[in-house]
Amino acid sequence: MLDGRILATLKKDAEAKEEFTACAANSQATSADCLRAKNFANDVSLARGELAPGFSITKADGSAVTLDSLAGKVVLIDFCATWCPACVKDLDYIQSIAEEFDKDHFVLLGISSDGDEAKWKRYLADNRMLGLQVRDGNHSVSDTFHVSGIPTYVVLDVNGMVQMRATGAEGDLRAKVRSLLAKPAVQTASSH
């Protein structure tokens, strides 16, 4: 996969396509990497961007959320905290995006940097938070994404490629998500 992405960046599309095709056929590739490889083989230009860093974080129910578990969906990551006035101010807007789009193709991933788990859980319950909500109390995922302030929003396409990064109210998140969901059909996790 990495060789294909390097070749794509160098605009050696034929060689990149060969690498992606081989990766997709590799029985040891993860299903997410296989999905990405198929999409990149179909359109090498998709591989030229920034792939989101791999991560794993645990939801309140104990299940894990990983970059690979989100493959095939457009993802809006909301790095936030309950004590952040700007995050609280943006809450209705972010939640309205989660309400608008089909859950089979879009997911909102709220990553809170709250240290107090009980306060965070109360906030989730009081505000009927949509999407996947996780707490990054040790800031490991925030650090992986180089988040230097909150709220920070990162929009990923179906291949896990970063398509937008905004701090605060910069940019139109809804329009970006809408445009990514409107792109021509590519392989998704459910179609592979």
Side-chain angles (χ1 to χ4, degrees):
M1 180 69 92
L2 180 58
D3 290 345
R5 292 198 58 239
I6 291 168
L7 290 165
T9 301
L10 295 171
K11 300 204 175 181
K12 296 185 176 188
D13 291 6
E15 293 102 325
K17 183 175 182 158
E18 286 178 27
E19 289 292 328
F20 294 134
T21 301
C23 182
N26 184 335
S27 63
Q28 297 194 0
T30 67
S31 61
D33 277 343
C34 184
L35 168 67
R36 286 184 195 107
K38 286 178 183 176
N39 289 332
F40 295 164
N42 287 334
D43 181 355
V44 174
S45 71
L46 296 173
R48 291 192 178 102
E50 173 192 354
L51 180 63
F55 66 89
S56 180
I57 191 163
T58 306
K59 295 191 306 186
D61 68 6
S63 62
V65 177
T66 65
L67 178 62
D68 284 355
S69 72
L70 302 172
K73 294 185 178 189
V74 172
V75 181
L76 168 57
I77 304 175
D78 174 13
F79 290 96
C80 58
T82 62
W83 48 262
C84 164
C87 301
V88 173
K89 181 177 164 275
D90 284 358
L91 179 65
D92 286 342
Y93 172 62
I94 298 303
Q95 291 292 296
S96 74
I97 293 172
E99 288 174 339
E100 180 176 340
F101 298 109
D102 179 4
K103 309 305 177 257
D104 291 336
H105 300 98
F106 170 79
V107 66
L108 167 65
L109 174 59
I111 301 180
S112 174
S113 60
D114 277 79
D116 184 335
E117 185 174 8
K119 181 178 177 183
W120 171 71
K121 284 183 175 180
R122 274 194 309 277
Y123 186 85
L124 292 181
D126 291 347
N127 290 284
R128 296 184 343 233
M129 304 287 284
L130 300 174
L132 301 174
Q133 300 295 323
V134 296
R135 190 175 67 86
D136 186 23
N138 64 4
H139 307 282
S140 63
V141 177
S142 299
D143 290 347
T144 299
F145 276 85
H146 305 291
V147 172
S148 59
I150 56 173
T152 291
Y153 306 104
V154 179
V155 179
L156 309 178
D157 68 13
V158 297
N159 296 303
M161 304 298 281
V162 176
Q163 297 297 315
M164 181 179 185
R165 183 181 189 84
T167 301
E170 298 173 0
D172 186 347
L173 299 170
R174 183 183 313 276
K176 187 61 174 178
V177 169
R178 187 176 291 123
S179 73
L180 291 171
L181 289 169
K183 286 196 176 201
V186 295
Q187 293 282 330
T188 63
S190 60
S191 67
H192 113 131

